[in-house]
Amino acid sequence: MDVSIREARPDEYAAAGELAAQAYLAAGLLVLGPEDPYLVSLRDAAARAAQAELLVAVDAENEALLGTVTFAAHKPFAEISGPHEAEFRMLAVDPGARGRGIGEALVRDCAERALRLGRRGLALSLDAANLTAARLYHRMGFVRDPGRDWSPVPGLTLRAYTLDLTAPASVPSE
């Protein structure tokens, strides 16, 4: 794959935030569309970078941003993970770059980071409407954990998924 994953540079924060916002809008994941208050959080990549790890997928040839994810090993961005887990949030792929394995590469990088930290699992929350992401996570070995489902705002329930990083072949290779 002609994509590399790395931490975002400060000069990329605004672009990474806008990429996340546009990806969520294009996928129809924001109930209120362009007026959805979650867009503020999606666009504030600098805050994520200050309190977690803001990762980007970039085209290896021209450094164009193709995707982003926030990797969190502790609060405040780790919302549902347990003490021996890490978590990722706000995974987004540029709509024009979908189908290239970028989302999977970002998830795989998060799993590898979690393992390097000695974590035994990886957790995430997902809107039930995001069927594309649910298929990806299922294919990668994530399982539903309904006991951790939660509601960040009234009317929105996020489904929890976890990946056991101690299981053989839990992190697919490229």
Side-chain angles (χ1 to χ4, degrees), residues 67-172:
T68 183
V69 68
T70 302
F71 174 78
H74 51 78
K75 301 282 183 203
F77 279 93
E79 297 176 318
I80 67 163
S81 55
H84 301 291
E85 296 173 318
E87 185 170 341
F88 68 88
R89 300 188 47 211
M90 300 179 187
L91 175 70
V93 174
D94 182 295
R98 289 194 180 141
R100 292 177 55 185
I102 294 163
E104 185 172 338
L106 286 163
V107 173
R108 190 171 33 268
D109 191 87
C110 288
E112 291 166 358
R113 286 171 189 272
L115 283 169
R116 285 195 301 269
L117 292 172
R119 303 302 169 93
R120 296 190 306 249
L122 189 60
L124 67 102
S125 298
L126 182 66
D127 185 326
N130 196 342
L131 300 177
T132 301
R135 283 190 296 273
L136 168 67
Y137 302 141
H138 176 73
R139 188 176 75 243
M140 294 186 76
F142 283 83
V143 295
R144 281 274 293 119
D145 189 348
R148 295 195 222 185
D149 290 356
W150 64 292
S151 182
V153 295
L156 175 64
T157 298
L158 297 179
R159 294 181 175 184
Y161 289 79
T162 59
L163 177 66
D164 179 356
L165 296 174
T166 65
S170 63
V171 181

